[in-house]
């Protein structure tokens, strides 16, 4: 079977879906791996590295038309679907909720499609959970961005020239990215505070040394995710958070609710209460942002408060992001194959949850799409 990797066309994307180390592992298992020329350049993996790992380096057309399994980060574009081999297996993010046309075209090609955003968020699924691996990278980078933009230092320093107070860093949304942001801020010497509406987040935050701001509203939803707050709950949250945000030098927000625009948590009046020189890093900017003033992809200054909503953050740390994505993907190939042949077993919960098209048949429930 041929496994294909093509260049990610998504604007500014530096990651690649399979790095040479994982190519080697798949080649050893008997797969032929075809990679598009230059596909790893953004992550500093060169064609020669792929060749040494046993891959065949080819032009785009040859890769996409020969791949029995195509592994990709971003959803396939229409042009890519047109070139795809009939009955190919595609493993990628799909944004299925807004890409119905593309899914229909994939179905017309009798494709089998695994949507990475539908992998269950369980301990058992961690070996293939790209949402977690990429969020880990994003959380780390968010803190570095904050440290870079902040006009102050993070650690407490006692020197002959005086004592510097540690920066107060508040992380709102203590999922995978939030935890890594907290841990990174702690390593830099900041005082760290955490807020979330899922009860389980409290222990997670404490485990990295954060002080948890006890939420006045708890809102656990399905599958371990948070649910959207009601209007009443939003008001309570607003009252509670305003003072804590005002006391912070840095606020990093990561809050998401599946299938919805990211929740608006930091309103303009809250930003107005922050000190000049404070920083907000809005990691939810890809999905609309958690701060009312966030302009996705831009850095703005509002009354002396620096607000930055970076986009596609894992791509800005492309090397480990690609390595982790690849490891997850090589594990995914293991999951859906046996002895080098496809073996898609729907009694396996990760397969059942993530396979949204099987041999051209849509497998999503109506309102899932
Ligand atoms: P996510 O990206 O969906 O959201 C980030 C965080 O924002 C979450 O902690 C969420 O509770 C929080 N949030 C949402 N609305 C909020 C609001 N209004 N105010 C404050 N916080 C808000 O989260 P994620 O990192 O993708 O994790 C999703 C779930 O998957 C979590 O329950 C996590 O523990 C779980 N998970 C489990 C494992 C495992 O090994 N068992 C691994 C990864 C993730």
């Amino acid at each position: 079977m041929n496994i294909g990797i093509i260049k990610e066309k998504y604007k500014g994307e530096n990651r690649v879906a399979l790095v040479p180390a994982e190519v080697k592992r798949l080649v050893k298992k008997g797969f032929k791996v075809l990679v598009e020329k230059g596909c790893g350049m953004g992550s500093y993996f060169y064609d020669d590295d792929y060749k040494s790992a046993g891959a065949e380096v080819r032009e785009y057309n040859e890769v996409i038309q020969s791949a029995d399994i195509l592994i990709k980060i971003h959803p396939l574009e229409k042009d890519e679907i047109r070139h795809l081999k009939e009955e190919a297996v595609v493993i990628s993010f799909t944004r299925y909720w807004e890409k119905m046309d593309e899914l229909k075209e994939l179905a017309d090609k009798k494709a089998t499609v695994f949507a990475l955003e539908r992998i269950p968020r369980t301990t058992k699924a961690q070996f293939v959970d790209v949402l977690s691996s990429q969020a880990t990278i994003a959380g780390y980078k968010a803190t570095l961005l904050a440290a870079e933009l902040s006009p102050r230092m993070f650690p407490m320093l006692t020197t002959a020239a005086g004592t510097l107070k540690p920066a107060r860093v508040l992380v709102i949304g203590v999922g995978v990215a939030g935890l890594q942001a907290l841990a990174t801020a702690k390593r830099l010497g900041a005082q760290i505070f955490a807020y979330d509406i899922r009860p389980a987040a409290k222990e997670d935050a404490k485990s990295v040394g954060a002080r948890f701001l006890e939420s006045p509203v708890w809102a656990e939803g399905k599958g371990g995710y948070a649910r959207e707050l009601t209007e009443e709950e939003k008001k309570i949250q607003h009252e509670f958070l305003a003072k804590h945000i005002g006391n912070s030098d840095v606020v990093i927000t990561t809050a998401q609710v599946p299938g919805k625009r990211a929740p608006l948590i930091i309103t303009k009046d809250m930003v107005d209460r922050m000190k000049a020189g404070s920083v907000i890093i809005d990691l939810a900017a890809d999905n609309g942002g958690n701060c009312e003033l966030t302009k996705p992809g831009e850095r703005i200054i509002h009354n002396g408060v620096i607000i930055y909503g970076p986009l596609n953050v894992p791509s800005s740390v492309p090397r480990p992001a690609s390595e982790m994505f690849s490891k997850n993907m090589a594990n995914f190939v293991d999951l859906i194959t046996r002895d080098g042949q496809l073996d898609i077993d729907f009694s396996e919960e990760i397969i059942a949850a993530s396979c949204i098209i099987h041999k051209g048949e849509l497998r999503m429930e109506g309102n899932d799409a």
Side-chain angles (χ1 to χ4, degrees):
M1 283 189 89
N2 295 336
I3 295 179
I5 306 297
I6 54 174
K7 249 188 240 169
E8 299 290 332
K9 288 189 189 147
Y10 189 82
K11 192 167 166 256
E13 183 56 75
N14 294 313
R15 291 170 296 170
V16 59
L18 205 64
V19 302
E22 299 308 319
V23 167
K24 200 169 181 178
R25 183 172 143 200
L26 291 167
V27 168
K28 244 190 204 157
K29 291 195 166 159
F31 294 101
K32 184 161 150 184
V33 181
L34 302 173
V35 303
E36 181 182 350
K37 253 187 205 166
C39 69
M41 294 287 280
S43 303
Y44 299 90
F45 295 110
Y46 298 114
D47 289 349
D48 283 346
D49 301 329
Y50 281 102
K51 283 182 195 156
S52 311
E56 296 189 14
V57 178
R58 298 275 187 261
E59 297 297 336
Y60 164 79
N61 273 332
E62 204 180 328
V63 176
I64 194 154
Q65 285 165 6
S66 326
D68 300 302
I69 301 178
L70 186 76
I71 305 177
K72 209 167 167 287
I73 300 173
H74 293 281
L76 256 68
E77 292 174 11
K78 289 192 174 180
D79 175 58
E80 293 165 332
I81 298 171
R82 218 168 298 128
H83 290 112
L84 191 69
K85 187 176 176 181
E86 289 270 320
E87 296 187 31
V89 172
V90 178
I91 311 171
S92 75
F93 283 112
T94 62
R95 297 189 71 86
Y96 55 87
W97 55 91
E98 60 182 24
K99 296 263 183 195
M100 218 41 219
D101 280 357
E102 284 82 349
L103 293 191
K104 283 189 183 131
E105 288 178 20
L106 282 161
D108 288 343
K109 283 254 170 179
K110 304 261 175 292
T112 293
V113 178
F114 291 93
L116 295 175
E117 48 277 88
R118 289 175 66 104
I119 290 174
R121 308 302 300 284
T122 56
T123 308
K124 193 180 153 230
Q126 278 302 288
F127 72 123
V128 289
D129 183 354
V130 283
L131 280 178
S132 287
S133 66
Q134 303 304 293
T136 300
I137 305 273
Y140 160 82
K141 186 63 187 268
T143 300
L144 296 192
L145 288 170
E148 175 73 21
L149 290 178
S150 172
R152 52 184 304 148
M153 285 173 67
F154 275 20
M156 188 182 100
L157 282 188
T158 308
T159 76
T163 299
L164 300 181
K165 281 195 203 153
R168 291 168 68 93
V169 175
L170 167 61
V171 173
I172 299 178
V174 191
V176 180
L179 270 179
Q180 199 52 237
L182 285 168
T184 307
K186 176 89 178 169
R187 285 180 205 122
L188 290 179
Q191 251 184 316
I192 55 171
F193 300 83
Y195 173 79
D196 201 299
I197 52 175
R198 284 182 304 110
K202 183 174 173 178
E203 286 315 307
D204 292 341
K206 283 187 176 168
S207 73
V208 294
R211 203 182 115 201
F212 192 77
L213 307 177
E214 196 77 42
S215 175
V217 285
W218 294 116
E220 173 118 28
K222 278 192 218 153
Y225 286 108
R227 67 161 167 79
E228 196 173 18
L229 297 182
T230 62
E231 286 311 310
E232 186 53 31
E233 287 170 332
K234 281 182 196 164
K235 268 194 218 147
I236 299 172
Q237 173 168 282
H238 179 274
E239 295 296 304
F240 174 77
L241 275 182
K243 108 172 164 277
H244 292 290
I245 288 173
N247 286 337
S248 303
D249 301 303
V250 168
V251 181
I252 297 173
T253 65
T254 79
Q256 302 276 0
V257 174
K260 306 244 176 219
R261 185 209 180 280
L264 265 184
I265 297 175
I266 305 183
T267 48
K268 178 175 171 296
D269 63 294
M270 287 160 137
V271 179
D272 286 338
R273 287 170 66 170
M274 293 176 81
K275 295 173 293 236
S278 304
V279 176
I280 297 174
I281 300 291
D282 191 343
L283 262 196
D286 280 305
N287 210 0
N290 293 140
C291 173
E292 191 180 350
L293 300 178
T294 295
K295 289 206 164 66
E298 289 182 35
R299 274 171 224 190
I300 63 155
I301 300 183
H302 173 85
N303 283 346
V305 177
I306 304 151
I307 305 170
Y308 182 30
L311 297 174
N312 195 15
V313 177
S315 167
S316 68
V317 200
R319 187 94 183 182
S322 298
E323 284 167 346
M324 291 167 92
F325 191 94
S326 300
K327 183 72 141 187
N328 292 146
M329 290 303 93
N331 289 340
F332 206 101
V333 171
D334 280 347
L335 188 70
I336 59 166
T337 58
R338 186 183 295 186
D339 301 328
Q341 295 304 314
L342 280 178
D343 178 24
I344 298 174
D345 172 6
F346 288 109
S347 67
E348 209 298 325
E349 71 173 323
I350 300 169
I351 292 180
S354 60
C355 183
I356 58 170
I357 304 177
H358 184 233
K359 295 185 177 165
E361 295 292 325
L362 232 64
R363 295 187 67 253
M364 283 184 304
E365 302 292 323
N367 61 358
D368 270 2

